[in-house]
Amino acid sequence: MRSPRAAASIADVRAVAPLLLLPALLGAPFLLAPRAHADEPAHAYTLEARLDPVEHVVHGEGRIRWTNESERAQDTLLLHLYLNAFASDDSVFMQESGSQLRGVRFRGEGGITVERLVLDPDAPAAHDLLEGAEDELVEGDRTQLRVHLPRPVEPGESVELGMAWESRLPPVFARSGWHGAFHMVAQWFPKLARLEPGGEWASFPYHGHGEFYADFADYDLTVETPPGWVVGASGVMREERFTSAATVRRFEAERVHDVAFAAAPWFEELEGTHEGEAGPVHVRVLYPPGFRGAAERHLEVTLAGLAHYGAHYGSYPYPQLTVIVPPRGADGAAGMEYPTLFVTAGPWFRMGGLPIALHDEVTAHELGHMWFQGLVASNEVAWPMLDEGITEWVTGDLLQELHGRARSGIDLFGLRVDGFELRRALALGGRPTPPPARPAHAFSGNAYGRAVYGRSAAIFETVARTWGRARFRRALGRYAKAQRFRHPVPEDLLAAFGEEYGDWMPRRVLHPTLFDNAICARRVTAPVRAGGRTRVVATRVGLGLPTRVRLEGPDGRRSVPWPGDVERLEIDEAGTFTRVWVDPERRGLLDPEARDDAAGEREGGGIFRRALFWLQTVLGQVAP
Ligand SMILES: [Zn+2]
């Protein structure tokens, strides 16, 4: 992030970092000191991590500066200790997931132990916050920690915390962990929950679905590994020191809401540059030996995506982006986004034909999250539709741009399938799901992927195809730019679309579909021919989307408009027509049953069964 306050805050963090090593020499306690300067970041983390890859443990020390930005004084703080999801089968994560995620079963153990947590670490007698701390806010779950302050922090005041902890990484299963020498270190440090402006903590245990909601902060991260190891981390590397015993690297990530890193001794590297509006973006792809071909494709898609997303949703504002290609067997870490870093997926070989299932899909999706979660930081547990749903749509939109609409899902052995048709078939076919605009815990089984990802994408694509793609991107861009570095709710999305289209769009289309599962189910009768005329009847249930009906036969082709306010359309056309389609350009993707959208000679439908098969394969890879 390049911002006017960048230079000042880098200097501040640099000044603080060495002090960590010399606490005894420091005086001048600033317990509960008000913020000194308006240009200091309200929230800042200094984290020092030493990775022990033999024991799969990270030894951490650090500081947090936190500012009460709410309107109410606070006498408690809430921290997330998310690795404790893997400490017990009774954690919310394990209970919800049945000890498995995306088909991967958990075996092993992980966790985080806070060894020291004090208020005002520079004071001669720092206040021990672990005394009286509550670590089991939900029965059986130790992923949240509530600590009590010696006196309330007033609105606008800042406090400084000092801490030391040990993170025990699990065998990689869900996002974090190790596989052989590969270490994905995520959700790994004591991290403050977000305090809402009204003064309530928006804290939740670590869930199987949805994990992000935090304040934007400046992070200074130092990672120590054995010599010869390679590290990819959030932010930009500022220093690298080599000794015979260790390699130490320091990274800075400004104005992000999380940091993560990956480490392995065998990472190979590919680099690229995106010329962004805010300056060049250095793209770094770290991949296992033998994955060169795949890494090249990930880099191509990343560069294309930075240009595409940047043009529509605001330029990528950070100087670096790191892409981690996980090794075979580390699927649990794959397909995950962190600010300025993501973990992609896909086999070592480069293969065309399945844009929706292989490299292109996962890279396009995780890159999309740099905007819809990284920059537009909605509450993922409360409103997963705002990041996964929107990201799924921008992913499909980018794949259409890269491959063409007809081949954006599958283009293999003569079979071509539109990627959004696949999403529609999986989301709307089969058992009903809750509507997309629900909290993450409202969904069980595969309903989360089908509703939050698939149905949201089908809804957005229906609007884009019915009323114009450029206009849809403009509306979404309005939302993305207005909400950058903020924490929006669905009303903010609906308001942006209302500004672009008028009030009718949120009221008549987006709210009924996203909140109430409104559909637009159409069917048409087979053509009846008599006396040189052809008659068909088309009927619709649900949303009134404008479309057309096409007739074809020996007398050529006719296209009849079907306005949105007509539920039953009777067509009586001079000439002989043997086949009829409603919505022949497939603009509406809110019909659970697409096979009755055409009638007459020739049969269709097999493609949808195949499509369903492929979509399930895909969602198994990328969700959540
Ligand atoms: Zn996602």
Side-chain angles (χ1 to χ4, degrees):
M1 166 65 199
R2 297 170 184 82
S3 68
R5 62 180 178 75
S9 60
I10 291 170
D12 293 345
V13 176
R14 283 208 177 120
V16 168
L19 304 187
L20 263 183
L21 308 170
L22 301 166
L25 300 181
L26 295 171
F30 50 105
L31 177 67
L32 304 179
R35 289 177 65 188
H37 304 291
D39 60 355
E40 273 184 0
H43 307 282
Y45 287 74
T46 304
L47 306 173
E48 300 193 347
R50 182 164 56 82
L51 174 66
D52 175 345
V54 177
E55 298 295 329
H56 313 298
V57 165
V58 176
H59 300 280
E61 273 188 51
R63 287 189 175 209
I64 306 176
R65 175 164 63 228
W66 177 78
T67 303
N68 180 1
E69 293 185 294
S70 81
E71 57 194 29
R72 291 219 316 257
Q74 296 296 319
D75 54 10
T76 59
L77 298 175
L78 259 154
L79 291 111
H80 289 163
L81 305 176
Y82 276 0
L83 275 183
N84 280 341
F86 309 108
S88 152
D89 285 344
D90 298 327
S91 71
V92 168
F93 190 108
M94 288 303 189
Q95 290 292 309
E96 283 179 350
S97 64
S99 301
Q100 62 169 26
L101 193 69
R102 297 187 272 193
V104 181
R105 228 188 144 66
F106 183 61
R107 295 171 213 287
E109 206 183 278
I112 176 169
T113 304
V114 182
E115 295 157 341
R116 178 170 166 265
L117 183 66
V118 297
L119 182 68
D120 190 17
D122 300 329
H127 182 86
D128 183 359
L129 291 169
L130 291 178
E131 236 168 71
E134 301 159 70
D135 72 345
E136 195 176 336
L137 303 189
V138 177
E139 199 189 334
D141 184 284
R142 291 191 158 78
T143 62
Q144 301 177 96
L145 181 72
R146 182 187 288 132
V147 300
H148 298 269
L149 297 164
R151 77 163 176 85
V153 183
E154 296 299 324
E157 272 191 323
S158 299
V159 293
E160 186 110 358
L161 310 182
M163 57 190 184
W165 74 96
E166 183 189 88
S167 300
R168 297 174 304 283
L169 301 172
V172 74
F173 153 66
R175 306 173 187 132
S176 261
W178 57 273
H179 178 76
F182 173 72
H183 288 74
M184 185 65 224
V185 184
Q187 302 291 1
W188 60 284
F189 59 93
K191 182 177 166 186
L192 281 163
R194 178 174 144 74
L195 183 66
E196 295 288 15
E200 299 83 35
W201 287 94
S203 180
F204 33 79
Y206 194 18
H207 287 278
H209 297 312
E211 70 264 42
F212 293 117
Y213 194 47
D215 285 305
F216 288 94
D218 286 0
Y219 282 83
D220 186 299
L221 167 66
T222 301
V223 179
E224 181 183 323
T225 61
W229 280 57
V230 182
V231 171
S234 299
V236 181
M237 190 165 68
R238 297 296 189 203
E239 287 172 37
E240 195 171 24
R241 295 197 309 274
F242 302 96
T243 69
S244 57
T247 301
V248 181
R249 299 175 175 92
R250 194 171 69 80
F251 301 85
E252 286 175 353
E254 289 178 39
R255 232 177 165 188
V256 294
H257 57 67
D258 196 21
V259 289
F261 65 92
W266 38 248
F267 268 140
E268 294 175 11
E269 182 167 350
L270 199 60
E271 289 179 294
T273 303
H274 164 71
E275 291 301 335
E277 246 174 60
V281 178
H282 175 215
V283 180
R284 200 177 170 217
V285 182
L286 296 179
Y287 60 94
F291 278 64
R292 173 83 188 192
E296 283 171 359
R297 184 59 189 162
H298 290 303
L299 180 59
E300 283 168 16
V301 175
T302 300
L303 292 173
L306 281 166
H308 173 95
Y309 296 146
H312 300 299
Y313 313 120
S315 197
Y316 179 84
Y318 305 103
Q320 185 166 321
L321 173 64
T322 301
V323 182
I324 306 294
V325 183
R328 238 173 305 186
D331 297 340
M336 265 311 300
E337 73 282 9
Y338 305 94
T340 74
L341 176 147
F342 66 84
V343 188
T344 185
W348 58 272
F349 55 92
R350 185 173 174 164
M351 181 180 159
L354 283 176
I356 201 169
L358 294 178
H359 311 101
D360 292 26
E361 156 86 14
V362 185
T363 287
H365 181 99
E366 305 314 330
L367 180 64
H369 275 309
M370 298 302 115
W371 279 261
F372 300 101
Q373 185 46 233
L375 291 165
V376 179
S378 49
N379 182 334
E380 194 187 6
V381 170
W383 302 110
M385 174 272 290
L386 284 181
D387 64 279
E388 295 300 355
I390 292 175
T391 296
E392 189 68 2
W393 182 80
V394 300
T395 302
D397 188 42
L398 175 58
L399 292 183
Q400 287 189 150
E401 185 138 306
L402 294 177
H403 298 277
R405 174 173 139 179
R407 311 185 310 177
S408 60
I410 299 171
D411 180 18
L412 205 59
F413 313 125
L415 175 69
R416 290 180 166 191
V417 183
D418 172 347
F420 281 110
E421 284 288 359
L422 293 179
R423 293 177 172 92
R424 181 204 61 78
L426 184 71
L428 276 76
R431 285 225 308 275
T433 66
R438 288 286 184 279
H441 52 74
F443 303 93
S444 59
N446 68 5
Y448 185 70
R450 291 173 57 215
V452 174
Y453 291 64
R455 193 177 196 110
S456 303
I459 291 166
F460 297 143
E461 182 65 4
T462 296
V463 176
R465 291 186 184 182
T466 303
W467 289 284
R469 184 165 305 278
R471 197 174 180 192
F472 186 90
R473 288 171 176 164
R474 233 172 18 245
L476 190 56
R478 216 182 249 274
Y479 165 75
K481 290 167 194 168
Q483 300 300 329
R484 179 173 277 212
F485 298 121
R486 301 171 82 108
H487 307 276
V489 292
E491 285 68 34
D492 297 308
L493 179 72
L494 299 188
F497 275 75
E499 284 168 24
E500 181 66 37
Y501 293 86
D503 280 353
W504 61 272
M505 173 57 76
R507 199 178 68 247
R508 296 218 308 263
V509 181
L510 292 178
H511 198 281
T513 49
L514 291 169
F515 284 82
D516 296 322
N517 268 351
I519 57 168
C520 173
R522 300 169 175 132
R523 58 167 60 221
V524 66
T525 59
V528 176
R529 298 185 295 276
R533 301 187 71 82
T534 302
R535 277 180 292 134
V536 300
V537 178
T539 50
R540 188 199 75 222
V541 174
L543 286 182
L545 302 175
T547 187
R548 303 186 79 82
V549 178
R550 181 193 291 164
L551 298 165
E552 249 181 50
D555 287 337
R557 180 187 278 196
R558 295 285 155 77
S559 178
V560 181
W562 184 0
D565 57 356
V566 176
E567 285 190 359
R568 179 186 163 89
L569 180 73
E570 294 186 27
I571 299 174
D572 186 353
E573 197 76 13
T576 299
F577 301 97
T578 52
R579 185 148 178 85
V580 56
W581 290 264
V582 294
D583 193 21
E585 291 170 353
R586 300 294 301 157
R587 293 183 176 186
L589 297 169
L590 298 176
D591 190 344
E593 179 52 84
R595 283 171 294 190
D596 58 10
D597 293 6
E601 291 165 15
R602 273 195 301 160
E603 264 306 303
I607 198 166
F608 292 105
R609 284 193 296 276
R610 274 174 287 177
L612 198 61
F613 166 78
W614 282 112
L615 189 55
Q616 280 160 347
T617 309
V618 169
L619 286 180
Q621 276 216 25
V622 302

